[in-house]
Amino acid sequence: MREVEVRALVMDPTQNMPVLLLRDPQSKKVVPVWIGQPEATSIAMIMQQREFPRPLAHDLIKAILKSLGGDLDMIVIDSIQDSTYFATLYVRDHTGKTHEIDARPSDSIAIALRLGSPIYVSDEVFHVAAVEMPTEDDGDQNEDRFRAFVESEMKLADFKRFVSEGGV
Amino acid sequence: MREVEVRALVMDPTQNMPVLLLRDPQSKKVVPVWIGQPEATSIAMIMQQREFPRPLAHDLIKAILKSLGGDLDMIVIDSIQDSTYFATLYVRDHTGKTHEIDARPSDSIAIALRLGSPIYVSDEVFHVAAVEMPTEDDGDQNEDRFRAFVESEMKLADFKRFVSEGGV
């Protein structure tokens, strides 16, 4: 199991579907996760530090957790079956007991980003889904290299989906 | 304040937007609430007693509430400002204390239906938004009368939106 960071949220034009790129800081590899538009909007709001005029469902989850004295210890993207990723929320109650709740990765990440909780990917998922990503220690070229990556490497990796540009 | 039931979820083709019709059993009037597509999908699943293969955000809210020993006492659609409805979740924690959480009506109703919690509309909202609906004590004609209602009465009520047919 390794902790990952949300590196980018990009659009896959062939599927017209948002893709989250989760990056492992050690290996520099990324795990792409295709998600739905509503969840992408919710994640983009947090990544851009913007707020919707009205609370979204993930904001309610944060508010409910806090009201009930609970917290989110972590989320884990733990398995992949027939191209579907499965995740688990590790919710801690007021007594310190942890409850495991089955969830989609998209909801899990939207909630984790709101609560500042760590995001993990299981070794199983990492080995199946992770792809190489260019190193990012070259200052101004970061963005160009990242764009070049999403325009070429993911295609080479035969993901059958072509991620063309950043932003949602 | 009066308790309402979710009478129908219909499509407004002029706005290409789902509309929830909340019915007051006493007066037979309904309050139409325009909602987003993701929330409509979530509500339709529950109304049709179907389940998504993977949990939706509202399913997570139910699971989290239950894990933390909480419950949802009720939801109240309490005000309307610039055509936007505001709602409040009344969440009870394990000590019995109630917490009020600001929410959109669509999320609130999707959660209330999952937890079997009552749905209320404030008098303010009811007086501004409620419209007449035909009585439903005439058996087979129910559906026709209901369709006639959504095709005519709501237009007459100058809601500027024309609800043409049932179902999502």
Side-chain angles (χ1 to χ4, degrees), chain B residues 82-146:
Chain B
D82 300 328
S83 305
T84 301
Y85 293 86
F86 291 74
T88 303
L89 305 176
Y90 288 80
V91 171
R92 186 160 29 85
D93 67 23
H94 66 282
T95 69
K97 186 182 167 194
T98 299
H99 304 260
E100 299 183 15
I101 296 173
D102 176 37
R104 296 178 297 176
S106 55
D107 285 328
S108 306
I109 291 166
I111 302 165
L113 290 176
R114 280 167 170 78
L115 287 153
S117 307
I119 299 167
Y120 290 90
V121 171
S122 73
D123 289 336
E124 177 199 338
V125 169
F126 194 81
H127 289 310
V128 170
V131 292
E132 291 288 344
M133 188 169 168
T135 56
E136 297 174 82
D137 51 4
D138 46 5
D140 292 344
Q141 294 175 15
N142 282 2
E143 201 53 35
D144 288 347
R145 293 190 66 173
F146 180 70

Side-chain angles (χ1 to χ4, degrees), chain A residues 38 54-58 60-61 63-65 67-68 70 84-87 89 91-94 99 101-104 107 111, chain B residues 38 54-58 60-61 63-65 67-68 70 84-87 89 91-94 99 101-104 107 111:
Chain A
R54 302 292 299 136
L56 300 179
H58 300 126
L60 296 183
I61 291 177
I64 289 170
L65 266 173
S67 291
L68 297 182
T84 302
Y85 293 86
F86 292 73
L89 305 176
V91 171
R92 186 159 31 84
D93 67 23
H94 66 282
H99 304 260
I101 296 174
D102 176 36
R104 294 177 298 175
D107 285 327
I111 301 164
Chain B
R54 303 292 299 136
L56 300 178
H58 301 124
L60 296 183
I61 291 176
I64 289 170
L65 266 172
S67 291
L68 297 181
T84 301
Y85 293 86
F86 291 74
L89 305 176
V91 171
R92 186 160 29 85
D93 67 23
H94 66 282
H99 304 260
I101 296 173
D102 176 37
R104 296 178 297 176
D107 285 328
I111 302 165

Side-chain angles (χ1 to χ4, degrees), chain B:
Chain B
M1 197 162 83
R2 56 190 86 199
E3 188 172 351
V4 294
E5 59 190 22
V6 179
R7 176 62 183 82
L9 178 57
V10 296
M11 275 304 290
D12 172 350
T14 63
Q15 305 282 327
N16 195 28
M17 215 174 161
V19 190
L20 266 176
L21 299 180
L22 306 176
R23 179 173 174 276
D24 167 31
Q26 263 70 53
S27 69
K28 314 288 188 201
K29 286 185 174 181
V30 293
V31 175
V33 181
W34 280 261
I35 64 176
Q37 189 58 59
E39 293 76 24
T41 302
S42 171
I43 290 169
M45 288 294 107
I46 292 296
M47 290 174 70
Q48 296 164 11
Q49 298 181 308
R50 284 165 53 201
E51 270 191 28
F52 254 58
R54 303 292 299 136
L56 300 178
H58 301 124
D59 298 313
L60 296 183
I61 291 176
K62 177 181 175 180
I64 289 170
L65 266 172
K66 292 299 180 186
S67 291
L68 297 181
D71 210 342
L72 181 66
D73 280 342
M74 63 177 174
I75 69 149
V76 181
I77 300 172
D78 35 28
S79 65
I80 181 169
Q81 292 168 33
D82 300 328
S83 305
T84 301
Y85 293 86
F86 291 74
T88 303
L89 305 176
Y90 288 80
V91 171
R92 186 160 29 85
D93 67 23
H94 66 282
T95 69
K97 186 182 167 194
T98 299
H99 304 260
E100 299 183 15
I101 296 173
D102 176 37
R104 296 178 297 176
S106 55
D107 285 328
S108 306
I109 291 166
I111 302 165
L113 290 176
R114 280 167 170 78
L115 287 153
S117 307
I119 299 167
Y120 290 90
V121 171
S122 73
D123 289 336
E124 177 199 338
V125 169
F126 194 81
H127 289 310
V128 170
V131 292
E132 291 288 344
M133 188 169 168
T135 56
E136 297 174 82
D137 51 4
D138 46 5
D140 292 344
Q141 294 175 15
N142 282 2
E143 201 53 35
D144 288 347
R145 293 190 66 173
F146 180 70
R147 281 178 187 273
F149 162 72
V150 294
E151 285 175 6
S152 61
E153 295 302 320
M154 302 218 358
K155 211 169 170 183
L156 291 177
D158 196 24
F159 267 95
K160 295 178 189 159
R161 294 165 172 127
F162 176 44
V163 181
S164 75
E165 55 181 357
V168 168

Side-chain angles (χ1 to χ4, degrees), chain A residues 88-148:
Chain A
T88 304
L89 305 176
Y90 288 81
V91 171
R92 186 159 31 84
D93 67 23
H94 66 282
T95 69
K97 187 182 168 195
T98 299
H99 304 260
E100 299 183 15
I101 296 174
D102 176 36
R104 294 177 298 175
S106 55
D107 285 327
S108 306
I109 292 166
I111 301 164
L113 290 176
R114 279 167 170 78
L115 287 153
S117 307
I119 300 167
Y120 290 90
V121 171
S122 73
D123 290 334
E124 177 199 337
V125 168
F126 194 81
H127 290 310
V128 170
V131 292
E132 291 288 344
M133 189 167 166
T135 56
E136 297 173 84
D137 50 4
D138 46 5
D140 292 345
Q141 295 174 14
N142 281 3
E143 200 54 35
D144 288 347
R145 295 191 64 176
F146 179 70
R147 281 177 186 274

